[in-house]
Coordinates of all heavy atoms in Angstrom, one line a residue:
M111 N 31.3 87.0 187.6 CA 30.9 86.3 188.8 C 29.4 85.8 188.6 O 28.7 86.5 187.9 CB 30.9 87.3 189.9 CG 30.7 86.8 191.2 SD 31.0 87.9 192.7 CE 29.6 88.8 192.7
K112 N 29.1 84.6 189.1 CA 27.8 84.1 188.9 C 26.8 85.0 189.7 O 26.9 85.4 190.8 CB 27.8 82.8 189.6 CG 26.4 82.1 189.3 CD 26.4 80.5 189.7 CE 26.8 80.2 191.1 NZ 26.6 78.7 191.4
C113 N 25.7 85.2 189.1 CA 24.6 86.1 189.7 C 24.1 85.5 190.9 O 23.6 84.4 190.9 CB 23.5 86.4 188.7 SG 22.1 87.3 189.4
P114 N 23.9 86.1 192.1 CA 23.5 85.6 193.3 C 22.0 85.5 193.3 O 21.4 84.7 194.0 CB 24.0 86.6 194.4 CG 24.1 87.9 193.7 CD 24.5 87.6 192.2
K115 N 21.3 86.3 192.6 CA 19.8 86.3 192.5 C 19.3 85.0 191.8 O 18.4 84.4 192.3 CB 19.3 87.6 191.8 CG 17.8 87.6 191.7 CD 17.2 88.1 193.0 CE 15.7 88.3 192.7 NZ 15.1 89.0 193.9
C116 N 19.8 84.7 190.6 CA 19.3 83.5 189.8 C 20.2 82.4 189.9 O 20.0 81.4 189.2 CB 19.0 84.0 188.4 SG 20.5 84.4 187.5
N117 N 21.4 82.5 190.6 CA 22.3 81.5 190.8 C 22.9 81.0 189.3 O 23.2 79.8 189.1 CB 21.6 80.2 191.5 CG 22.7 79.3 192.0 OD1 23.8 79.7 192.3 ND2 22.4 78.1 192.2
G118 N 23.0 82.0 188.5 CA 23.7 81.8 187.3 C 22.8 81.4 186.2 O 23.2 81.1 184.9
Y119 N 21.5 81.1 186.3 CA 20.5 80.7 185.3 C 20.0 81.7 184.4 O 19.3 81.4 183.4 CB 19.4 79.8 186.0 CG 19.7 78.6 186.7 CD1 19.8 78.5 188.1 CD2 20.3 77.6 186.0 CE1 20.2 77.4 188.7 CE2 20.7 76.3 186.6 CZ 20.6 76.3 188.0 OH 21.1 75.1 188.5
G120 N 19.9 83.0 184.9 CA 19.4 84.1 184.0 C 17.9 84.2 184.2 O 17.4 85.1 183.6
K121 N 17.2 83.3 184.9 CA 15.8 83.4 185.1 C 15.5 83.1 186.5 O 16.1 82.3 187.2 CB 15.1 82.4 184.2 CG 15.3 82.7 182.8 CD 14.4 81.7 182.0 CE 14.6 82.0 180.4 NZ 14.2 83.3 179.9
V122 N 14.4 83.6 187.0 CA 13.9 83.5 188.3 C 12.4 83.2 188.3 O 11.7 83.6 187.4 CB 14.1 84.8 189.3 CG1 15.6 84.9 189.5 CG2 13.5 86.0 188.7
G123 N 11.9 82.4 189.3 CA 10.5 82.2 189.4 C 10.3 80.8 189.6 O 11.1 79.9 189.9
E124 N 9.0 80.3 189.5 CA 8.5 79.0 189.6 C 8.1 78.4 188.3 O 8.0 79.1 187.4 CB 7.2 79.0 190.6 CG 7.6 79.4 192.0 CD 8.5 78.5 192.8 OE1 8.4 77.2 192.5 OE2 9.3 79.0 193.6
Y125 N 7.9 77.1 188.2 CA 7.5 76.4 187.0 C 6.5 77.1 186.3 O 5.4 77.6 186.8 CB 7.0 75.0 187.4 CG 6.5 74.3 186.3 CD1 7.5 73.6 185.3 CD2 5.2 73.9 186.2 CE1 7.0 72.9 184.4 CE2 4.8 73.2 185.1 CZ 5.7 72.7 184.2 OH 5.3 71.9 183.2
K126 N 6.6 77.4 184.9 CA 5.8 78.1 184.0 C 5.7 79.6 184.3 O 5.0 80.3 183.6 CB 4.3 77.5 184.1 CG 4.3 76.1 183.4 CD 2.8 75.7 183.3 CE 2.7 74.4 182.6 NZ 1.3 74.0 182.5
Y127 N 6.3 80.0 185.3 CA 6.3 81.5 185.7 C 7.7 82.1 185.8 O 7.9 83.1 186.5 CB 5.5 81.8 187.0 CG 4.2 81.2 187.0 CD1 3.8 80.0 187.6 CD2 3.1 82.0 186.4 CE1 2.5 79.6 187.5 CE2 1.8 81.4 186.3 CZ 1.6 80.3 186.8 OH 0.2 79.8 186.8
Y128 N 8.5 81.5 184.9 CA 9.8 82.1 185.0 C 10.0 83.5 184.3 O 9.2 83.8 183.3 CB 10.8 81.3 184.2 CG 11.2 79.9 185.0 CD1 10.7 78.7 184.6 CD2 12.0 80.0 186.1 CE1 11.1 77.5 185.3 CE2 12.2 78.8 186.8 CZ 11.9 77.6 186.4 OH 12.0 76.5 187.0
R129 N 10.8 84.2 184.8 CA 10.9 85.6 184.2 C 12.5 86.0 184.1 O 13.2 85.4 184.9 CB 10.1 86.8 184.9 CG 10.5 87.0 186.2 CD 9.5 88.1 186.9 NE 9.6 88.2 188.2 CZ 10.6 88.4 189.0 NH1 11.8 88.4 188.6 NH2 10.4 88.4 190.3
T130 N 12.9 86.8 183.3 CA 14.3 87.2 183.2 C 14.7 87.9 184.5 O 14.0 88.8 185.1 CB 14.5 88.2 182.1 OG1 14.1 87.6 180.9 CG2 15.9 88.6 182.0
C131 N 16.0 87.5 185.0 CA 16.5 88.0 186.2 C 16.9 89.4 186.0 O 17.5 89.8 185.1 CB 17.7 87.2 186.6 SG 18.5 87.8 188.1
Q132 N 16.3 90.3 186.8 CA 16.5 91.8 186.8 C 18.0 92.2 187.3 O 18.5 93.2 186.8 CB 15.6 92.5 187.6 CG 14.0 92.4 187.1 CD 14.0 92.8 185.7 OE1 14.3 94.0 185.4 NE2 13.3 92.0 184.8
T133 N 18.6 91.3 188.1 CA 19.8 91.5 188.7 C 20.9 91.5 187.5 O 21.8 92.4 187.4 CB 20.2 90.7 189.9 OG1 19.2 90.8 190.8 CG2 21.6 91.0 190.4
C134 N 20.8 90.4 186.7 CA 21.9 90.1 185.7 C 21.4 90.4 184.3 O 22.2 90.3 183.3 CB 22.4 88.8 185.9 SG 21.2 87.5 185.5
G135 N 20.2 90.6 184.2 CA 19.6 90.9 182.8 C 19.4 89.7 182.0 O 19.4 89.7 180.8
G136 N 19.4 88.5 182.7 CA 19.3 87.3 182.0 C 20.6 86.5 181.5 O 20.6 85.5 180.9
T137 N 21.7 87.2 181.9 CA 23.1 86.5 181.5 C 23.5 85.6 182.4 O 24.4 84.8 182.1 CB 24.1 87.7 181.3 OG1 24.3 88.3 182.6 CG2 23.7 88.8 180.3
G138 N 23.0 85.6 183.6 CA 23.6 84.7 184.7 C 24.9 85.2 185.4 O 25.3 84.6 186.3
E139 N 25.4 86.3 184.9 CA 26.6 86.8 185.4 C 26.4 88.3 185.8 O 25.7 89.1 185.2 CB 27.7 86.8 184.2 CG 28.1 85.4 183.8 CD 29.0 84.7 184.8 OE1 29.8 85.3 185.4 OE2 28.8 83.5 185.0
V140 N 27.1 88.7 186.9 CA 27.1 90.1 187.4 C 28.5 90.4 187.4 O 29.4 89.7 187.6 CB 26.4 90.3 188.7 CG1 25.0 90.0 188.7 CG2 27.0 89.3 189.8
P141 N 28.9 91.8 187.0 CA 30.2 92.2 186.9 C 30.9 92.1 188.4 O 30.2 92.5 189.4 CB 30.2 93.5 186.4 CG 28.7 94.0 186.5 CD 27.9 92.8 186.6
Q142 N 32.1 91.7 188.4 CA 32.9 91.7 189.8 C 33.5 93.1 189.9 O 34.1 93.6 188.9 CB 33.8 90.5 189.6 CG 34.7 90.3 190.8 CD 35.5 89.1 190.7 OE1 36.2 89.0 189.6 NE2 35.7 88.2 191.6
T143 N 33.4 93.5 191.1 CA 34.1 94.8 191.4 C 35.7 94.6 191.5 O 36.1 93.4 191.7 CB 33.7 95.5 192.6 OG1 34.0 94.6 193.8 CG2 32.2 95.8 192.6
N144 N 36.5 95.6 191.4 CA 37.9 95.5 191.7 C 38.1 94.9 193.1 O 39.1 94.2 193.3 CB 38.6 96.8 191.4 CG 38.8 97.1 189.9 OD1 38.9 96.2 189.1 ND2 38.8 98.3 189.5
E145 N 37.3 95.3 194.1 CA 37.5 94.9 195.5 C 37.3 93.4 195.5 O 38.1 92.6 196.1 CB 36.5 95.6 196.3 CG 36.8 95.3 197.8 CD 35.9 96.1 198.7 OE1 35.0 96.8 198.4 OE2 36.2 95.9 199.9
E146 N 36.3 92.8 194.9 CA 36.0 91.4 194.9 C 37.1 90.6 194.2 O 37.6 89.6 194.8 CB 34.7 91.1 194.2 CG 33.5 91.6 195.1 CD 32.2 91.8 194.2 OE1 32.3 91.8 193.1 OE2 31.1 91.6 194.8
W147 N 37.6 91.1 193.1 CA 38.7 90.6 192.4 C 40.0 90.7 193.3 O 40.7 89.6 193.4 CB 38.9 91.3 191.1 CG 40.2 91.0 190.4 CD1 40.4 89.9 189.7 CD2 41.4 91.8 190.4 NE1 41.7 89.9 189.2 CE2 42.3 91.0 189.7 CE3 41.8 93.0 191.0 CZ2 43.7 91.6 189.5 CZ3 43.0 93.4 190.8 CH2 44.0 92.6 190.0
F148 N 40.2 91.8 193.8 CA 41.4 92.0 194.7 C 41.5 90.9 195.8 O 42.6 90.4 196.1 CB 41.4 93.4 195.2 CG 42.7 93.7 196.0 CD1 43.9 94.1 195.3 CD2 42.6 93.6 197.5 CE1 45.0 94.4 196.2 CE2 43.7 93.9 198.2 CZ 44.9 94.3 197.6
C149 N 40.3 90.6 196.4 CA 40.2 89.7 197.5 C 40.7 88.3 197.2 O 41.0 87.4 198.0 CB 38.9 89.7 198.2 SG 38.6 91.2 199.2
S150 N 40.5 88.0 195.8 CA 40.9 86.6 195.4 C 42.4 86.5 195.1 O 42.8 85.4 194.8 CB 40.1 86.3 194.1 OG 40.6 87.1 193.0
L151 N 43.1 87.6 195.1 CA 44.5 87.5 194.9 C 45.3 86.8 195.9 O 45.0 86.9 197.2 CB 45.2 88.9 194.6 CG 44.5 89.6 193.3 CD1 45.2 91.0 193.2 CD2 44.7 88.8 192.0
S152 N 46.6 86.3 195.7 CA 47.5 85.8 196.6 C 48.1 87.1 197.4 O 48.0 88.2 197.0 CB 48.6 85.1 196.0 OG 49.5 85.9 195.3
T153 N 48.7 86.8 198.5 CA 49.3 87.9 199.4 C 50.3 88.7 198.5 O 50.3 89.9 198.6 CB 49.9 87.3 200.6 OG1 48.9 86.7 201.3 CG2 50.4 88.5 201.5
E154 N 51.1 88.0 197.8 CA 52.1 88.6 197.0 C 51.6 89.5 195.8 O 52.1 90.6 195.6 CB 53.1 87.6 196.4 CG 54.3 88.2 195.6 CD 55.2 87.2 195.2 OE1 55.6 86.2 195.9 OE2 55.8 87.3 194.0
E155 N 50.6 89.0 195.2 CA 49.9 89.7 194.2 C 49.2 91.0 194.8 O 49.2 92.0 194.2 CB 48.9 88.9 193.4 CG 49.4 88.1 192.3 CD 50.0 89.0 191.2 OE1 49.3 90.0 190.7 OE2 51.2 88.7 190.7
K156 N 48.6 90.9 195.9 CA 48.1 92.0 196.6 C 49.0 93.1 196.9 O 48.7 94.2 196.7 CB 47.3 91.6 197.9 CG 46.0 90.9 197.7 CD 45.5 90.4 199.0 CE 44.2 89.6 198.8 NZ 43.7 89.0 200.1
A157 N 50.1 92.6 197.4 CA 51.2 93.6 197.7 C 51.7 94.3 196.4 O 51.8 95.6 196.5 CB 52.5 92.9 198.3
K158 N 51.9 93.7 195.3 CA 52.2 94.3 194.0 C 51.1 95.3 193.6 O 51.5 96.4 193.2 CB 52.3 93.2 193.0 CG 53.6 92.4 193.1 CD 53.7 91.4 192.0 CE 54.8 90.4 192.2 NZ 54.8 89.3 191.2
R159 N 49.9 94.9 193.7 CA 48.7 95.8 193.2 C 48.6 97.1 194.2 O 48.4 98.1 193.6 CB 47.4 95.0 193.3 CG 47.3 94.1 192.2 CD 47.3 94.7 190.9 NE 47.3 93.6 189.9 CZ 47.2 93.8 188.6 NH1 46.9 95.0 188.1 NH2 47.3 92.8 187.8
I160 N 48.8 96.9 195.5 CA 48.9 97.9 196.4 C 49.9 98.9 196.1 O 49.7 100.2 196.0 CB 49.0 97.5 197.9 CG1 47.8 96.8 198.3 CG2 49.3 98.6 198.8 CD1 47.9 96.0 199.6
T161 N 51.1 98.5 195.7 CA 52.2 99.3 195.4 C 51.9 100.2 194.1 O 52.0 101.4 194.0 CB 53.4 98.5 195.1 OG1 53.7 97.8 196.2 CG2 54.6 99.5 194.7
C162 N 51.3 99.5 193.1 CA 50.9 100.2 191.8 C 49.8 101.2 192.0 O 49.8 102.4 191.6 CB 50.4 99.2 190.8 SG 51.8 98.2 190.1
L163 N 48.8 100.9 192.9 CA 47.7 101.8 193.2 C 48.2 103.0 193.9 O 47.7 104.1 193.6 CB 46.7 101.0 194.1 CG 45.7 100.0 193.4 CD1 45.0 99.3 194.4 CD2 44.8 100.8 192.5
D164 N 49.1 102.8 194.8 CA 49.7 103.9 195.7 C 50.3 104.9 194.7 O 50.2 106.1 194.8 CB 50.5 103.4 196.8 CG 51.0 104.6 197.6 OD1 50.2 105.4 198.1 OD2 52.2 104.7 197.8
V165 N 51.1 104.4 193.8 CA 52.0 105.2 193.0 C 51.0 106.0 192.1 O 51.1 107.3 191.8 CB 53.0 104.3 192.2 CG1 53.6 105.2 191.0 CG2 54.0 103.8 193.1
N166 N 50.0 105.2 191.4 CA 49.1 105.9 190.6 C 48.2 106.9 191.3 O 47.9 108.0 190.7 CB 48.2 104.8 189.9 CG 49.0 104.1 188.8 OD1 50.0 104.5 188.3 ND2 48.5 102.9 188.6
A167 N 47.9 106.7 192.5 CA 47.0 107.6 193.2 C 47.8 108.8 193.6 O 47.3 109.9 193.5 CB 46.4 106.8 194.4
E168 N 49.1 108.6 194.1 CA 49.8 109.8 194.4 C 50.1 110.8 193.2 O 50.1 112.0 193.3 CB 51.1 109.3 195.1 CG 50.9 108.9 196.4 CD 50.4 109.9 197.4 OE1 50.7 111.1 197.3 OE2 49.6 109.5 198.3
H169 N 50.3 110.0 192.0 CA 50.5 110.8 190.8 C 49.3 111.6 190.5 O 49.5 112.8 190.1 CB 50.9 109.8 189.7 CG 51.1 110.4 188.4 ND1 52.4 111.2 188.2 CD2 50.5 110.5 187.2 CE1 52.4 111.7 186.9 NE2 51.2 111.2 186.3
K170 N 48.1 111.2 190.6 CA 46.9 111.8 190.3 C 46.8 113.1 191.3 O 46.3 114.1 190.9 CB 45.6 111.0 190.4 CG 45.4 110.1 189.2 CD 44.2 109.3 189.4 CE 44.2 108.4 188.1 NZ 42.9 107.6 188.1
V171 N 47.2 112.8 192.6 CA 47.1 113.9 193.5 C 48.0 115.1 193.1 O 47.6 116.2 193.2 CB 47.4 113.4 194.9 CG1 47.6 114.6 195.9 CG2 46.2 112.4 195.4
K172 N 49.3 114.7 192.8 CA 50.2 115.7 192.4 C 49.9 116.4 191.2 O 50.2 117.6 191.0 CB 51.6 115.0 192.1 CG 52.3 114.5 193.5 CD 53.6 113.9 193.1 CE 54.2 113.4 194.4 NZ 55.4 112.6 194.1
Q173 N 49.1 115.8 190.2 CA 48.6 116.5 189.1 C 47.4 117.3 189.3 O 46.9 118.0 188.4 CB 48.3 115.5 187.9 CG 49.5 114.8 187.3 CD 49.1 113.9 186.2 OE1 48.0 113.2 186.3 NE2 49.9 113.8 185.1
G174 N 46.8 117.2 190.5 CA 45.6 117.9 190.9 C 44.4 117.3 190.4 O 43.3 118.0 190.4
L175 N 44.5 116.0 190.0 CA 43.3 115.4 189.5 C 42.4 114.7 190.7 O 41.3 114.3 190.4 CB 43.7 114.2 188.5 CG 44.4 114.8 187.3 CD1 44.9 113.6 186.5 CD2 43.5 115.6 186.5
A176 N 43.0 114.7 191.9 CA 42.3 114.2 193.0 C 42.7 114.9 194.2 O 43.8 115.5 194.3 CB 42.5 112.8 193.2
D177 N 41.9 114.9 195.2 CA 42.2 115.6 196.6 C 43.2 114.8 197.4 O 44.0 115.3 198.0 CB 40.9 115.9 197.3 CG 40.1 117.0 196.6 OD1 40.6 117.8 195.8 OD2 38.9 117.0 196.8
N178 N 42.9 113.5 197.4 CA 43.8 112.6 198.2 C 43.8 111.2 197.6 O 43.0 110.8 196.9 CB 43.4 112.6 199.7 CG 42.1 111.9 199.9 OD1 41.9 110.8 199.7 ND2 41.3 112.6 200.6
A179 N 44.8 110.4 198.0 CA 45.1 109.1 197.4 C 44.1 108.1 197.9 O 43.7 107.2 197.1 CB 46.5 108.6 197.7
V180 N 43.5 108.2 199.1 CA 42.5 107.3 199.5 C 41.2 107.4 198.6 O 40.7 106.3 198.3 CB 42.1 107.6 201.0 CG1 41.0 106.8 201.5 CG2 43.4 107.5 201.9
E181 N 40.8 108.6 198.3 CA 39.7 108.7 197.4 C 39.9 107.9 196.0 O 39.0 107.3 195.6 CB 39.4 110.2 197.1 CG 38.8 110.8 198.3 CD 38.5 112.3 198.0 OE1 38.7 112.7 196.9 OE2 38.2 113.1 199.0
V182 N 41.1 108.0 195.5 CA 41.3 107.4 194.2 C 41.3 105.9 194.3 O 40.7 105.3 193.5 CB 42.8 107.9 193.7 CG1 43.1 107.1 192.5 CG2 42.8 109.4 193.4
I183 N 41.9 105.4 195.5 CA 41.9 104.0 195.7 C 40.5 103.5 195.9 O 40.0 102.4 195.4 CB 42.9 103.6 196.7 CG1 44.3 104.0 196.2 CG2 42.7 102.1 197.1 CD1 45.4 103.8 197.3
V184 N 39.6 104.1 196.7 CA 38.4 103.7 197.0 C 37.5 103.7 195.8 O 36.7 102.7 195.5 CB 37.6 104.7 198.1 CG1 36.1 104.4 198.2 CG2 38.3 104.4 199.4
E185 N 37.7 104.7 195.0 CA 36.9 104.7 193.7 C 37.3 103.5 192.8 O 36.5 102.9 192.2 CB 37.2 106.0 192.8 CG 36.5 106.2 191.6 CD 36.8 107.5 191.0 OE1 36.9 108.5 191.6 OE2 37.1 107.5 189.7
W186 N 38.6 103.1 192.8 CA 39.0 102.0 192.0 C 38.4 100.8 192.5 O 38.0 99.8 191.7 CB 40.6 101.9 192.0 CG 41.1 100.8 191.2 CD1 41.3 100.7 189.8 CD2 41.4 99.5 191.7 NE1 41.8 99.5 189.5 CE2 41.9 98.7 190.6 CE3 41.5 99.0 193.0 CZ2 42.3 97.4 190.8 CZ3 41.9 97.6 193.0 CH2 42.4 96.9 192.1
L187 N 38.4 100.6 193.8 CA 37.9 99.4 194.4 C 36.5 99.1 194.0 O 36.0 98.0 193.9 CB 38.1 99.4 195.9 CG 39.5 99.2 196.4 CD1 39.5 99.5 197.9 CD2 39.9 97.7 196.2
K188 N 35.7 100.3 193.9 CA 34.2 100.1 193.7 C 33.9 99.9 192.1 O 32.7 99.5 191.8 CB 33.6 101.4 194.1 CG 33.5 101.5 195.6 CD 32.8 102.7 196.1 CE 32.8 102.8 197.6 NZ 32.0 104.1 198.1
T189 N 34.8 100.2 191.3 CA 34.5 100.1 189.8 C 34.5 98.6 189.5 O 35.2 97.7 189.9 CB 35.5 100.9 189.0 OG1 36.7 100.4 189.2 CG2 35.4 102.3 189.3
P190 N 33.7 98.2 188.3 CA 33.7 96.9 187.8 C 35.1 96.5 187.4 O 35.9 97.3 186.8 CB 32.7 96.9 186.7 CG 31.8 98.0 186.9 CD 32.8 99.1 187.7
H191 N 35.4 95.3 187.6 CA 36.8 94.8 187.3 C 36.9 94.5 185.8 O 36.0 93.8 185.2 CB 37.1 93.6 188.1 CG 38.5 93.0 187.7 ND1 39.6 93.6 188.0 CD2 38.9 91.8 187.1 CE1 40.7 92.9 187.5 NE2 40.2 91.8 186.9
K192 N 37.9 94.8 185.1 CA 38.2 94.5 183.7 C 39.4 93.6 183.8 O 40.5 94.0 184.4 CB 38.4 95.8 182.9 CG 37.2 96.6 182.8 CD 37.5 97.9 182.0 CE 36.3 98.8 182.1 NZ 36.6 100.1 182.3
E193 N 39.4 92.5 183.1 CA 40.5 91.5 183.2 C 41.8 92.1 182.7 O 42.8 91.7 183.2 CB 40.2 90.3 182.2 CG 39.3 89.2 182.7 CD 39.8 88.7 184.0 OE1 41.1 88.4 184.1 OE2 39.1 88.6 185.0
N194 N 41.9 93.1 181.8 CA 43.3 93.6 181.3 C 43.8 94.7 182.2 O 44.7 95.2 181.8 CB 43.1 94.0 180.0 CG 42.0 95.1 179.8 OD1 41.3 95.5 180.7 ND2 41.8 95.6 178.6
E195 N 43.3 94.9 183.4 CA 43.8 95.9 184.4 C 45.0 95.4 185.1 O 45.1 94.3 185.5 CB 42.7 96.3 185.4 CG 41.8 97.4 184.7 CD 40.9 97.9 185.8 OE1 41.0 97.5 186.9 OE2 40.1 98.9 185.3

């Protein structure tokens, strides 16, 4: 996702006073969260992902790896999105 601070340029400032953008580290890109990625999906894709998330979250609860499914899903939404997920 394009960096909102530098508008994807990787630098901020005025003529002759440019410095590296601290938000993106000069790359012009900031990682997209799973929630931001999820919002870009079609309704059908969202439904498929919700089903998978629910099954995975309930599995973690049954294994004792999490207290409840909502916590697992909220944690997933907040993490940076990886294309192969």
Side-chain angles (χ1 to χ4, degrees):
M111 184 171 90
K112 184 168 63 170
C113 177
K115 178 83 173 186
C116 67
N117 204 24
Y119 293 109
K121 297 190 181 295
V122 292
E124 297 291 327
Y125 176 72
K126 291 188 179 181
Y127 299 103
Y128 288 111
R129 59 180 166 59
T130 301
C131 177
Q132 296 300 309
T133 303
C134 66
T137 65
E139 297 282 323
V140 291
Q142 185 178 40
T143 64
N144 283 324
E145 183 174 11
E146 292 164 333
W147 168 79
F148 183 81
C149 289
S150 71
L151 298 177
S152 69
T153 303
E154 185 175 317
E155 274 297 312
K156 284 178 185 172
K158 289 177 184 178
R159 292 293 174 167
I160 289 170
T161 302
C162 290
L163 282 169
D164 183 51
V165 169
N166 289 333
E168 287 298 328
H169 184 68
K170 286 183 179 183
V171 171
K172 287 179 184 175
Q173 288 184 323
L175 301 173
D177 292 331
N178 65 57
V180 173
E181 288 177 9
V182 174
I183 294 171
V184 168
E185 183 180 319
W186 179 82
L187 287 169
K188 290 181 179 181
T189 58
H191 177 69
K192 297 178 186 134
E193 277 305 313
N194 56 359
E195 281 187 355

